[in-house]
Amino acid sequence: MSVDPDRLLELFRRHLPLREGFVELAFASGYDAPVWRSEAGYPLVALRLTTFDPVDGVIPLDIREQEVFIGDDRKHAPGRWLAYVEGHLQAMPAILAHFGEPDAMMPCDLFAYGAVLADEALQRPDDFAAALRDPVRLAAMDEAAREAEWRERLEPLGLADHVAEVRAMARPSIRLHLSRSEELDEDEDEDDDADVDEDDGDEDDGDDAEVTDDPGQTRLGGAPDLPPDLPWPEVDGVKLTFVAQFDLAELAGRAAARELPAHGLLSFFYAPIPPDGVRGHPVRVLHFTDLDALACRPVPPGVERLSAYDIDVADERLYPCVDSYFFYESLLPEARVLEVHRQRQQGKGGELIPFNPLECFIADSGELDDYERPYHRLLGHPASIQGDPYLDVEIDTRPQGWDGWDDGSPEALAIRRRSLRWRLLLQIDAQQDGELLLNQDGGFFYFWIPADALAVHDWSQARGALQCH
């Protein structure tokens, strides 16, 4: 048996409009009858949520109107269901306060607590109102609703029983947006292949020196800020190219930066071309704690000098990309994973995590600042061009590299599991403003570090890797 819409309208009129702080709930405008039944027989209410200026409390800053489904009254005794609605309206100020930030709510969100109807101990309006004023109970219902939503989203991937593990895969990231620095290098147009001083290899202190009033500023390319007595960073006698430096104090308030030191300068150097006999691209990551002890250092002759860019930052939240599907496969039983990998090795295909649903899940779940290249980012998960970047860096740490790689074997599965230990420090897209930023065929260069080394800020464990077309 269903409730008469007129009785429901009368109930809402007794409570609306109602206000909590700078947020007001009222009937939406333009409806002769703001309460009615849908074609499917569900009760709907046209509601308006208005946020006012917190200074004067009068000027509306945001208005959101919505036709809200408030529950299926046909599943409950009419008297008890009306008691639930009345209790819900009585508790509405507490529900509004529970949401905190008004820009995070819609009218429908305020009526998402029908789970209290499952509690048969609640019969009178005051009973429901007391339950819906309880912040602990509201938080529990919020979490249960999120759990149900996630289970539904992960069902196509076969991961509905792994909600917590999948949600834990999301990592905060700092997206880097580059703009050409106004302080362009004076020697920018000079030949990049200038000869190195064969006598001592010391840096040239001539006309190409840059002058900055404030050492330690975040930037990409140009000349780095280094302690005056520190030799130019090198690996095995090969001087490295300066990539970027970050003022950590400027990043300290961001979620991703919790894994970094709170102060100092974090600087990145790499070898564009690996030295003979060296697998992978040598890198150095340096942390300088005293910015006052730094000075702008001219780039040595013969060392590639990247164009100088200023960096603006934005927050992101990322899930492992499709090429890093093993993050998701690793949640399944090992025997099942190994069998599918063996089938792939034999050319029989096999798919543990369906590709298209996984791609949709990642697109829907991630919070990218911008979905277009270039992808420059600090921390988080990497974007890829071809193949799994995590597997690439793990393979590069093997003494034999890719030699002897036998995909589908238990050893290969163990290598894939070990690859999950790597954490992205920095990804630089070789493309910027339609041109090559790095001489890397338009790909991505990655700075990696093992998770345990990142936890203790052991930058000596950093590794470099490249993906290109």
Side-chain angles (χ1 to χ4, degrees), residues 185 192-193 203 219-226 232-235 237-245 267-275 281-286 297-308 426 428 437-440 445 447:
D185 301 344
D192 290 337
D193 297 323
E203 291 80 9
R219 65 176 176 272
L220 183 144
D225 296 324
L226 296 171
W232 186 269
E234 63 178 44
V235 172
V238 176
K239 288 183 169 61
L240 304 180
T241 295
F242 169 62
V243 176
Q245 63 183 34
S267 300
F268 294 81
F269 295 78
Y270 90 124
I273 301 175
H281 292 252
V283 300
R284 292 283 303 276
V285 177
L286 305 175
R297 179 79 63 83
V299 176
V303 175
E304 182 181 7
R305 182 187 194 127
L306 305 182
S307 297
L426 178 66
I428 298 297
L437 174 64
L438 307 178
N439 186 22
Q440 302 294 349
F445 191 86
F447 289 80

Side-chain angles (χ1 to χ4, degrees), residues 119-137:
D119 186 350
E120 293 296 336
L122 307 179
Q123 294 291 330
R124 299 177 298 112
D126 290 348
D127 298 335
F128 285 105
L132 293 166
R133 290 189 183 110
D134 181 355
V136 175
R137 194 159 187 169

